[in-house]
Amino acid sequence: MSGAIRFVAAGLCLAITVSGCALFSPFGNLSPKDCMTRVMYFESNRSSAEGMLAVGTVVMNRMEDREYPRTVCGVVGQKNQFAPGVLYKPMKEGRSKALAASVAEQVLHGARHPGVQRAKHFHTAGLTFPYTNMHYVLEAGGNAFYEKR
């Protein structure tokens, strides 16, 4: 393959990956339910269905915003947005994995945490930041959920 063709192919792969499309993605074998289950498992208190529902609501809120990818796996796979290894680390706690899978199914069928509102961000509860644009709406599952204003 010539250098020009490689360059174009690399650019195409990057564009598709950034857009959230699973084509050419290293996580292309994961379903939306797999990605949602994984983000809930790794980002919330593993025993809190409420926290998992809140995390899932943030993922869905991001999908509705044109600034983010349009797929669950695209949102969850965005660099530096969720826990490192969220899409590939092993999920070792069986009960927590089962709970996350159950809540993921609910979110993918329309369930939302009403307290999350339009929030697209969260961080570990108890942390504080000096920013004035963080409007907190909920604390659940060990996380504080907020809207940027």
Side-chain angles (χ1 to χ4, degrees):
M1 192 180 317
S2 75
I5 293 173
R6 283 187 189 160
F7 180 76
V8 171
L12 179 61
C13 286
L14 177 62
I16 290 170
T17 300
V18 170
S19 74
C21 178
L23 188 62
F24 301 123
S25 167
F27 311 112
N29 61 328
L30 296 175
S31 71
K33 183 179 177 185
D34 292 336
C35 292
M36 186 66 76
T37 298
R38 298 183 69 77
V39 75
M40 290 175 171
Y41 178 92
F42 287 109
E43 288 290 358
S44 67
N45 178 330
R46 293 188 182 148
S47 63
S48 170
E50 180 188 19
M52 290 180 182
L53 181 60
V55 168
T57 301
V58 165
V59 171
M60 300 309 285
N61 285 350
R62 287 184 177 197
M63 282 178 51
E64 293 173 5
D65 185 325
R66 62 186 178 98
E67 304 266 329
Y68 293 91
R70 294 285 186 241
T71 66
V72 173
C73 292
V75 168
V76 174
Q78 278 194 295
K79 188 174 181 176
N80 300 324
Q81 294 297 303
F82 295 104
V86 69
L87 290 178
Y88 62 84
K89 281 187 177 178
M91 294 185 286
K92 297 179 181 179
E93 298 172 26
R95 283 189 198 158
S96 299
K97 182 179 175 182
L99 177 61
S102 173
V103 177
E105 188 74 30
Q106 294 170 33
V107 169
L108 294 172
H109 285 94
R112 301 291 183 271
H113 192 300
V116 172
Q117 302 170 34
R118 296 174 310 206
K120 295 182 200 88
H121 308 281
F122 61 91
H123 60 73
T124 302
L127 297 178
T128 58
F129 298 93
Y131 309 114
T132 58
N133 67 338
M134 298 168 77
H135 174 73
Y136 290 92
V137 296
L138 176 73
E139 188 171 313
N143 291 311
F145 295 81
Y146 64 94
E147 297 175 13
K148 284 187 179 180
R149 293 188 174 169

